Amino acid sequence: MAELTALESLIEMGFPKGRAEKALALTGNQGIEAAMDWMLELVAQKQREREEREEREALERERQRRRQGQELSAARQKLQEDEMRRAAEERRREKAEELAARQRVREKIERDKAERAKKYGGNVGSQPSPPATEPGPVPSSPSREPPTKREYDQCRIQVRLPDGTSLTQTFRAREQLAAVRLYVELHSGEELGGGQDPVQLLSGFPRRAFSEADMERPLQELGLVPSAVLIVAKKCPG
């Protein structure tokens, strides 16, 4: 009857029947207090085990977070290095294309020269030189140094196309106008070369149409240095 009374007392206190019976048995039926101490210690032990497990899981999550952070940082650094490498390759490619385009310009200029020389017997643009004149007396003037004229070695050309868009490129001052014409043909699709072509190249101001002979003249000789605006326009019917 004592065991039953202890069991009923534990059940009334809210302990499950199976756990109360186990506590009484493992404590040698030493009474309610011993059984309660065993069950409370069991609960505390499970609580400690749960806290230890949660602590281990938290540490593992932190390790994973740090590992993922390191992997993300390494991936970001690799992406930046790849972008820098692609940018360097793009700059090298653009430079090579520019050099190739300039080489095509020079080759086309040479071909145009050869074709015109063959067509006109090598006398294109040759004109009789004016007769020499005797130098006259130099009028006296106050001793003053003439203003020095600045020499430019580059020329910035803007070409306005018939569709309203424009092209801008820097050329050497000694390059021929044919280099500008070829640049426009390569980048716009406009054909400016033939004598029967209805499209021509004009200066901006004052308005002037460039002839085929002008194509062999340097930009500085045509007054297009240091900068100028050219216009691609249709030829007016004669």
Side-chain angles (χ1 to χ4, degrees), residues 18-117:
R19 185 177 299 177
E21 291 176 344
K22 184 176 180 181
L24 290 170
L26 292 176
T27 57
N29 294 318
Q30 294 179 7
I32 297 174
E33 186 175 353
M36 287 179 59
D37 290 342
W38 182 88
M39 287 188 289
L40 293 176
E41 178 61 26
L42 180 63
V43 171
Q45 182 179 353
K46 290 185 177 180
Q47 177 68 23
R48 288 193 298 270
E49 291 175 353
R50 182 171 63 251
E51 291 175 352
E52 292 174 356
R53 184 175 63 254
E54 291 175 352
E55 184 177 357
R56 288 194 301 270
E57 291 174 352
L59 289 174
E60 180 62 25
R61 287 194 299 269
E62 178 63 17
R63 282 194 292 268
Q64 291 181 359
R65 187 189 65 81
R66 292 184 180 182
R67 183 167 57 251
Q68 291 173 355
Q70 292 173 354
E71 293 174 354
L72 181 61
S73 178
R76 187 183 297 111
Q77 182 177 357
K78 184 177 183 303
L79 179 62
Q80 292 176 350
E81 292 174 354
D82 291 343
E83 290 178 351
M84 292 174 62
R85 183 165 53 251
R86 283 195 296 269
E89 292 175 354
E90 181 68 15
R91 287 194 296 271
R92 287 194 294 269
R93 185 185 63 79
E94 291 176 353
K95 186 174 182 180
E97 290 178 354
E98 182 179 354
L99 292 175
R102 288 187 176 274
Q103 180 62 28
R104 290 195 297 271
V105 168
R106 288 192 289 268
E107 291 174 355
K108 189 174 189 308
I109 290 173
E110 293 301 323
R111 288 197 302 270
D112 290 346
K113 281 185 180 179
E115 291 174 0
R116 284 194 290 272

